[in-house]
Amino acid sequence: MAQKLVVGNWKMNGSLRSNAARFQVLASQVQLPSCVVVLVPYVYLAQAKASLTGSAILWGAQDVSNQSGGAFTGDVSAEMLSDFACHYVLVGHSERRQLHHENNTTIVDKFQLALNRSITPILCLGETASERQEGKSQAVVLSQLNAVLESLEQLEPSSFVVAYEPVWAIGSGNAAGLKDIAAMHAVIRNRLKEWNAQSDETRILYGGSVNPENAKDILNLPNVDGVLVGSASLDSDDFVAIARAS
Ligand code: PGA
């Protein structure tokens, strides 16, 4: 895929003031070689929309409800996200799977509701450290991927993104090794090919301790169509450096 996708996940960080400074740096970027997206906390979506409209940067959310609306205190629906012109939403991030006990059924519902509103879901997949030690990495990742591929009929390959994020690499400061990344991306690509002949249109991102130093090598790997960046996306200069590394 020609243009890489570089996605920043701010997680639960930011304030109106600090966001304004970040948005300013991002909105001033021109001629970026990659497609760049920032995923901000819900409460800052209006600020993201106001600050980034007309710029080269897109925005989105970090989660979405598995319900379309109603008595679900604290939840935010896909319809609400589309009110703020969200382009992308994370679905099944490991912090949601682990800390909020989200299972594949919930994740499939979120994925479908996002698609219904033309918001591109970024499906996060990844094994934990213990699953890796037990030699289950591929099985775990494939079961998370299959949950979506096998549940949703008429899924368009270009309508979603997959992100391989080994849980042990997230926030650790140590990205997975290049060989490990390439191997898992090949497994994911092969499964996608088996599923749909047009699946070259599905982007596969890597996430987990991506920084300006390692971004170029990761982005140059086969089957790596972009990166999902957590902590390094909070420093706009670092994030821009990663976006320009592709
Ligand atoms: P990290 O987070 O870049 O801080 O490791 C990545 C993620 O959780 O999406």
Side-chain angles (χ1 to χ4, degrees):
M1 202 158 306
Q3 210 188 24
K4 305 281 183 182
L5 177 63
V6 175
V7 182
N9 172 13
W10 288 7
K11 308 195 180 186
M12 197 170 70
N13 293 289
S15 62
L16 286 173
R17 204 184 144 107
S18 62
N19 302 344
R22 281 192 204 123
F23 287 138
Q24 199 174 25
V25 174
L26 294 176
S28 68
Q29 300 302 314
V30 288
Q31 295 186 330
L32 284 162
S34 49
C35 176
V36 180
V37 181
V38 281
L39 305 176
V40 304
Y42 291 137
V43 291
Y44 299 130
L45 283 171
Q47 190 189 14
K49 182 169 182 273
S51 310
L52 299 175
T53 296
S55 79
I57 313 292
L58 300 175
W59 60 93
Q62 300 166 14
D63 188 32
V64 62
S65 176
N66 63 336
Q67 303 290 332
S68 51
F72 300 98
T73 303
D75 280 0
V76 172
S77 70
E79 187 177 1
M80 294 169 184
L81 296 185
S82 61
D83 262 351
F84 292 91
C86 284
H87 302 263
Y88 289 87
V89 65
L90 289 183
V91 174
H93 188 280
S94 61
E95 285 151 21
R96 304 291 315 175
R97 290 184 193 258
Q98 293 192 321
L99 305 173
H100 296 266
H101 311 292
E102 288 189 8
N103 59 29
N104 283 332
T105 310
T106 312
I107 290 163
V108 169
D109 290 343
K110 291 181 174 205
F111 189 103
Q112 180 67 67
L113 288 167
L115 283 178
N116 292 351
R117 293 283 159 187
S118 304
I119 302 170
T120 304
I122 302 175
L123 175 68
C124 301
L125 317 171
E127 79 285 2
T128 62
S130 59
E131 288 164 342
R132 183 175 191 236
Q133 272 153 20
E134 290 163 29
K136 293 184 187 158
S137 304
Q138 290 189 13
V140 168
V141 167
L142 286 175
S143 76
Q144 292 170 342
L145 178 60
N146 286 337
V148 167
L149 299 184
E150 289 166 6
S151 318
L152 303 182
E153 283 167 23
Q154 296 171 337
L155 179 58
E156 291 289 330
S158 61
S159 68
F160 69 103
V161 174
V162 172
Y164 171 54
E165 295 207 299
V167 180
W168 45 272
I170 293 177
S172 69
N174 291 311
L178 296 177
K179 277 190 187 157
D180 284 343
I181 299 173
M184 191 62 87
H185 278 240
V187 167
I188 295 170
R189 178 59 70 204
N190 286 340
R191 174 66 189 108
L192 288 169
K193 271 192 190 145
E194 192 183 278
W195 161 72
N196 188 303
Q198 259 79 53
S199 63
D200 278 353
E201 293 168 16
T202 309
R203 281 192 168 105
I204 310 174
L205 314 183
Y206 167 78
S209 298
V210 175
N211 59 42
E213 285 73 47
N214 62 24
K216 198 173 184 69
D217 287 342
I218 294 173
L219 284 163
N220 279 336
L221 289 170
N223 298 311
V224 174
D225 305 305
V227 284
L228 178 52
V229 186
S231 57
S233 71
L234 296 172
D235 180 318
S236 302
D237 294 332
D238 282 356
F239 187 53
V240 168
I242 294 169
R244 292 199 180 278
S246 61

